[in-house]
Amino acid sequence: MATVLRERTRRPVAADPKRRPRNGRRRVRPNYLAGIGGFVWLGVIIIPIYYIVITSIGRQSDFYTGNPLLPSSNPTLDSYRAVLDNDFLLYLGNSVVVTVASVVVTVGVSLMAAYAIVRSRARMVRLTFSLFLLGLAIPLQATIIPLYYMIGQAHLYDTLLALILPSIAFAIPITVLILVNFIRDIPAELFESMRVDGASHWRLFISLVVPLSRPAITTVTLYNALNVWNGFLFPLVLTQSADKRVLPLSLWTFQGQFSINVPAILAAVVLSTLPIFVLYVLGRRQLVAGLTAGFGK
Amino acid sequence: MSRVKTESGAGASLRTGPSSWMVAPALAFFLIFAIVPLILAAVLSFTKWDGINPPAWTGLGNWTRTLSDPVTFQSLGLSFKVIIVSWLVQTPLSLLVGVFTAGRQRYRAVLAALYFLPLILSSAAIGIAFKALLDPNFGLSKAFGIPALAQDWLGNPQLVFYVVIFVIAWQFVPFHSLLYQAGTRQIPTSFYEAAELDGASRMQQFFHITLPQLRYTIVTSSTLMVVGSLTYFDVVYILTQGGPGYSTRLLPLDMYLTGFASSDMGDASVLAMLLVVIGLLLALGLTKLTGFSRMTSQQEGS
C-alpha cells in the first residue's frame, strides 16, 4: 500500500516539468554537508576493513616496521596458506553443517507455524504467536547456563547438534514474525477457493503458501544464515574439542595460538568472512529487505 | 496427524483454519530450548553448581550473596550506562546515515552497500580486528603518526568504555541505519514538494517532515537497540575480557565469567535472572511501543 502511494505521488511530479516547484534550483542543489558526512562515515566503516585486508596480505616482519595502512611492498599469501593449513577447511565444514541444518529446520517449522498463525482461529495458535513475539526479547545469554546443563544431561555436549538445536529455537521468533507479515498479504480468496475445491490444509500449505512465500523464504534464509554463521557464544560454551570448532570460535583460538602473528590472524578473519561475503554480493537486496521486513511496519 | 477442531459458528466448514498442530514443531523447539532454560535458570539460581558435579540446593544464598556484591552493581550500572550512551551515540548516527542513504542518488546507493559491510562480519572477527587496530604500538596510532592517537585504548580504564561504545556502534549502526533508510523511503515525496513550495529550507524539512514521520521507526530502532544492549557480549569479551579491572564487565560478561571462568553457576544464574527480568521489562515496552501487539490484533480482520 505504502509503495503504491509513493509511486503515484512521485512519478507525475518528475515527469511534468510544469509541476516543479518554483524555486526548483533548491531541489537540484547538491547537499554538500550530507555528502561530506557520508564520506566521513565511509571512512569510519572502511578503514578497519581495509586494515584487515591490507594487513593480511602483508609480511609479518613488515608488520612491526611499516605503516599499517600502507600496502606491503611485496604482498604475500603466506598467511592465508598458514590458516588453510591449520584445519580451516574442517572449521568451514562445521560452520556449513551447523548453519545449513539450523536454517533448514528453522525455516521449515517456522513456515508451518506462520501459515497456521495467519489462517487459524484457534486460541492456542494466537497465544503461540504472542509467546514468539515475547521471545524476541529474551537475552540469549541468560539461557546459556541452563542450556549448558541441559545439553550435558542429554549427552550432546561437544557435538554439532548441541549448536544446532538452540540456534533453531532462538531463530524461530523473528523468522515466524517475518513470514507471518508476508503470508498475511496472500489474498484470503485464494485459500477459500482452493478449500471449496476440496484441498486439505497441507495441500494448501505445499502448493499455495510455500510457492507464494518464496521471497520471504529467501529473506529469512539469508538472515538466519548470517546469524548462525556468526554465532559465538553457543560454540564457546557448548563445544570443546578442536574437531567441533566453527569459524568464529576458530578465530578466537587462532588468536591465542598465533598471538604474535597478526597478519595470520587477520587472514583467518578474511577467510571466515569470505563465504558470507559471497552470499552478500549475490543476495544483497534480499538480505537488506530481510533485515528491515520484520520491524518495518 | 490428528486435526484439532477450530470451528467457531456457522459456515465453519469452509473457514476452519489449518490444524493447530502445524505450530507444534516450532513451539516445541522454542519451549524446550528457550523457555525451559529460562525456568531452569531460575531453579539453578537456588543451587550451588560448579558446572561438573550435580547441582546442590542452597536456597537463597546465591541471591543474597550476588545482590550484595559490589561487582554485581558495577556490572549492572555499566550495562545501564552502555544502554544510555550507545543509544545517544547510535540513534543520531543511524538516523543521519539512514536518511542520507534514502536519497536516490546513485553514489549514495554505492555508499550504502559499503556501509552495510560490518553486518556480515562476525563479532569475533570485529573484536579481533579492532584489537589489532587499537594496538598502541602497531595499530592505528602508527599509521597516522598523530601523538593523540598513541593511546593504550584498551588498557586505559577511563578510555576503554568509550572504545567499546565505539566498536559496538561500528557494528550496529549499519543495521539501524537500514531501518531508518526503509522508514525514510516510506515518506510520501508530496510532503517535501509542498514544503518546497512554502520555501522551507532543507534543515526545516528535516526537522518538520522527516523527523516526525520517522517517529515509529525511532521507537522501533530504539527499543531494539536498548534490548540489544543487554546482549553485548562477544565483542566485549574478545576486546577486553571485561578489563582492565572491572571497567568493561557488562552484566552478560559478568554472568559468563562468574559461571564459566569461576565455575560458580549458581551465582551466575542469579545474574542470568537479572538479565531476564530487565530484558522482559524492556520487552514489555517494546511490544507496547512498536505496535507488535497491534499487529496480532489485526489478525481479527484477516
Side-chain angles (χ1 to χ4, degrees):
Chain A
M1 187 59 203
T3 42
V4 174
L5 201 73
R6 193 177 61 223
E7 291 303 320
R8 201 186 294 149
T9 49
R10 195 161 56 87
R11 229 181 263 129
V13 172
D16 183 359
K18 266 178 288 178
R19 283 202 52 198
R20 280 176 77 112
R22 250 181 309 163
N23 50 352
R25 265 187 313 153
R26 175 164 281 149
R27 278 172 57 97
V28 290
R29 188 195 63 183
N31 189 343
Y32 290 112
L33 200 64
I36 292 167
F39 279 98
V40 169
W41 182 245
L42 178 70
V44 172
I45 294 294
I46 285 300
I47 288 176
I49 294 171
Y50 167 80
Y51 168 82
I52 298 171
V53 176
I54 211 74
T55 308
S56 71
I57 56 170
R59 288 174 195 281
Q60 202 203 344
S61 50
D62 296 343
F63 177 76
Y64 295 104
T65 53
N67 183 323
L69 287 184
L70 292 180
S72 167
S73 47
N74 50 346
T76 169
L77 291 178
D78 285 353
S79 301
Y80 288 86
R81 204 163 300 132
V83 175
L84 288 171
D85 285 343
N86 269 277
D87 286 335
F88 180 83
L89 293 177
L90 172 72
Y91 308 145
L92 180 82
N94 286 342
S95 272
V96 169
V97 169
V98 170
T99 305
V100 169
S102 305
V103 171
V104 166
V105 177
T106 301
V107 174
V109 300
S110 301
L111 255 177
M112 279 163 55
Y115 168 53
I117 285 165
V118 172
R119 300 295 307 164
S120 169
R121 280 151 203 288
R123 234 176 92 76
M124 193 280 250
V125 175
R126 301 274 174 90
L127 282 175
T128 304
F129 190 46
S130 306
L131 186 69
F132 286 154
L133 290 178
L134 204 64
L136 283 174
I138 295 177
L140 180 143
Q141 281 80 2
T143 62
I144 193 64
I145 290 169
L147 274 176
Y148 173 75
Y149 178 81
M150 290 165 64
I151 293 290
Q153 291 295 305
H155 301 289
L156 290 174
Y157 179 73
D158 204 18
T159 64
L160 293 184
L161 201 57
L163 305 181
I164 295 168
L165 295 173
S167 298
I168 294 168
F170 280 91
I172 282 174
I174 184 68
T175 310
V176 169
L177 179 63
I178 292 174
L179 291 174
V180 161
N181 277 338
F182 193 87
I183 294 173
R184 203 172 268 158
D185 291 340
I186 299 176
E189 292 76 26
L190 284 181
F191 291 100
E192 269 146 31
S193 64
M194 276 186 81
R195 286 293 281 163
V196 174
D197 293 344
S200 73
H201 278 290
W202 285 104
R203 176 101 206 120
L204 287 182
F205 178 67
I206 302 292
S207 50
L208 193 62
V209 176
V210 172
L212 284 180
S213 313
R214 197 166 294 151
I217 293 173
T218 316
T219 279
V220 292
T221 301
L222 288 170
Y223 179 60
N224 286 326
L226 184 68
N227 276 340
V228 176
W229 186 271
N230 286 339
F232 180 75
L233 184 64
F234 287 153
L236 178 70
V237 171
L238 300 177
T239 64
Q240 185 179 34
S241 35
D243 64 329
K244 300 296 183 313
R245 225 169 258 161
V246 292
L247 283 180
L249 195 64
S250 79
L251 292 180
W252 172 242
T253 45
F254 207 68
Q255 184 189 236
Q257 247 173 298
F258 289 84
S259 53
I260 37 158
N261 191 346
V262 177
I265 294 162
L266 294 181
V269 166
V270 173
L271 279 177
S272 76
T273 309
L274 218 48
I276 214 87
F277 180 74
V278 171
L279 263 184
Y280 172 58
V281 171
L282 294 178
R284 194 179 77 84
R285 255 167 219 291
Q286 285 296 330
L287 190 56
V288 169
L291 288 169
T292 43
F295 316 99
K297 296 202 173 176
Chain B
M1 192 162 278
S2 74
R3 183 93 22 109
V4 171
K5 296 269 179 221
T6 54
E7 292 100 323
S8 53
S13 64
L14 250 186
R15 307 195 59 203
T16 43
S19 161
S20 301
W21 287 106
M22 289 186 90
V23 297
L27 186 60
F29 270 108
F30 188 68
L31 285 178
I32 297 172
F33 294 102
I35 301 297
V36 168
L38 278 189
I39 300 165
L40 194 55
V43 176
L44 285 172
S45 73
F46 296 103
T47 66
K48 184 167 177 52
W49 184 38
D50 57 8
I52 300 156
N53 298 302
W57 199 257
T58 56
L60 280 169
N62 297 330
W63 283 85
T64 49
R65 184 157 10 97
T66 306
L67 291 181
S68 59
D69 186 348
V71 174
T72 304
F73 286 95
Q74 155 93 9
S75 303
L76 201 60
L78 213 52
S79 271
F80 279 119
K81 195 172 158 196
V82 164
I83 291 176
I84 293 163
V85 177
S86 55
W87 186 85
L88 287 174
V89 171
Q90 290 184 37
T91 300
L93 263 176
S94 317
L95 188 73
L96 288 174
V97 174
V99 172
F100 174 70
T101 51
R104 302 276 162 188
Q105 293 91 327
R106 213 180 147 63
Y107 84 100
R108 294 193 185 185
V110 176
L111 290 187
L114 295 169
Y115 290 159
F116 188 85
L117 286 172
L119 267 173
I120 64 169
L121 291 168
S122 65
S123 296
I126 292 172
I128 286 166
F130 271 97
K131 216 174 160 182
L133 196 58
L134 293 168
D135 187 292
N137 298 315
F138 308 111
L140 199 61
S141 46
K142 200 169 71 167
F144 292 115
I146 302 169
L149 284 176
Q151 302 275 358
D152 187 6
W153 297 105
L154 297 172
N156 180 335
Q158 262 77 51
L159 268 179
V160 70
F161 176 81
Y162 296 96
V163 173
V164 166
I165 291 284
F166 173 82
V167 177
I168 286 170
W170 190 87
Q171 182 178 17
F172 288 105
V173 165
F175 172 74
H176 292 279
S177 47
L178 263 180
L179 296 185
Y180 284 111
Q181 184 194 39
T184 309
R185 288 199 169 154
Q186 303 259 328
I187 304 174
T189 41
S190 57
F191 289 12
Y192 293 99
E193 281 146 17
E196 290 277 349
L197 286 175
D198 292 344
S201 73
R202 194 170 264 140
M203 212 63 133
Q204 286 170 321
Q205 288 179 27
F206 179 78
F207 282 106
H208 291 106
I209 302 172
T210 313
L211 216 48
Q213 287 290 314
L214 285 177
R215 61 188 180 280
Y216 290 117
T217 315
I218 295 173
V219 171
T220 308
S221 157
S222 300
T223 37
L224 287 173
M225 205 181 275
V226 165
V227 174
S229 301
L230 275 181
T231 65
Y232 295 154
F233 168 81
D234 331 29
V235 162
V236 190
Y237 176 66
I238 289 166
L239 272 180
T240 68
Q241 301 247 311
Y246 292 98
S247 51
T248 53
R249 195 170 161 124
L250 305 179
L251 195 54
L253 196 54
D254 189 28
M255 184 206 74
Y256 174 84
L257 294 173
T258 304
F260 293 95
S262 312
S263 301
D264 188 351
M265 299 291 192
D267 284 4
S269 295
V270 175
L271 298 169
M273 290 319 292
L274 283 183
L275 267 177
V276 172
V277 169
I278 299 168
L280 286 180
L281 284 178
L282 293 173
L284 228 64
L286 177 94
T287 43
K288 277 238 165 7
L289 289 171
T290 58
F292 283 162
S293 45
R294 253 180 293 131
M295 265 158 46
T296 38
S297 64
Q298 270 172 16
Q299 269 184 288
E300 317 287 349
S302 69

